[in-house]
């Protein structure tokens, strides 16, 4: 079981930064958002915050939660659940921007 937790943590630490960079690049406004309320400027640039900030938060919390206080028995499901939540955050950000 510990091997699955290590694999999940490695996958999380490889894929979460990629998702975070994608969230920044895909949802950062390239022009002024002064009079725009659609696309990446919708809801006060929430798509970028959800994609990049949400990914960073989920990544940090799940990495700690997997290993902290487990007395040698890590929580195996946490990194995989975190990867699913990160994908969900990117989909939600895309829906908000679309």
């Amino acid at each position: 079981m510990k091997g699955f937790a290590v694999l999940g943590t490695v996958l999380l630490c490889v894929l979460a930064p990629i998702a975070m960079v994608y969230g920044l690049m895909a949802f950062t406004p390239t022009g002024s958002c002064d009079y725009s309320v659609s696309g990446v400027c919708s809801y006060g640039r929430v798509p970028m915050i959800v994609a990049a900030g949400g990914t960073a938060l989920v990544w940090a919390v799940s990495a700690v939660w997997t290993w902290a206080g487990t007395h040698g028995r890590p929580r195996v499901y946490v990194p995989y659940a975190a990867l699913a939540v990160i994908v969900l955050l990117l989909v939600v950000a895309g829906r908000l921007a679309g």
Side-chain angles (χ1 to χ4, degrees):
M1 288 299 242
K2 195 172 190 177
F4 287 116
V6 171
L7 176 65
T9 304
V10 168
L11 285 173
L12 182 68
C13 289
V14 168
L15 297 176
I18 294 169
M20 198 165 58
V21 169
Y22 170 76
L24 284 172
M25 293 179 73
F27 301 111
T28 299
T30 56
S32 174
C33 286
D34 290 339
Y35 302 106
S36 178
V37 291
S38 63
V40 294
C41 294
S42 61
Y43 307 106
R45 300 180 187 146
V46 167
M48 181 183 65
I49 295 167
V50 168
T55 298
L57 181 66
V58 169
W59 179 23
V61 168
S62 65
V64 171
W65 194 18
T66 300
W67 297 98
T70 59
H71 304 292
R73 295 185 338 184
R75 297 172 184 95
V76 176
Y77 61 91
V78 173
Y80 301 105
L83 288 170
V85 169
I86 288 170
V87 169
L88 181 68
L89 286 172
L90 291 175
V91 169
V92 167
R95 296 283 181 174
L96 288 172

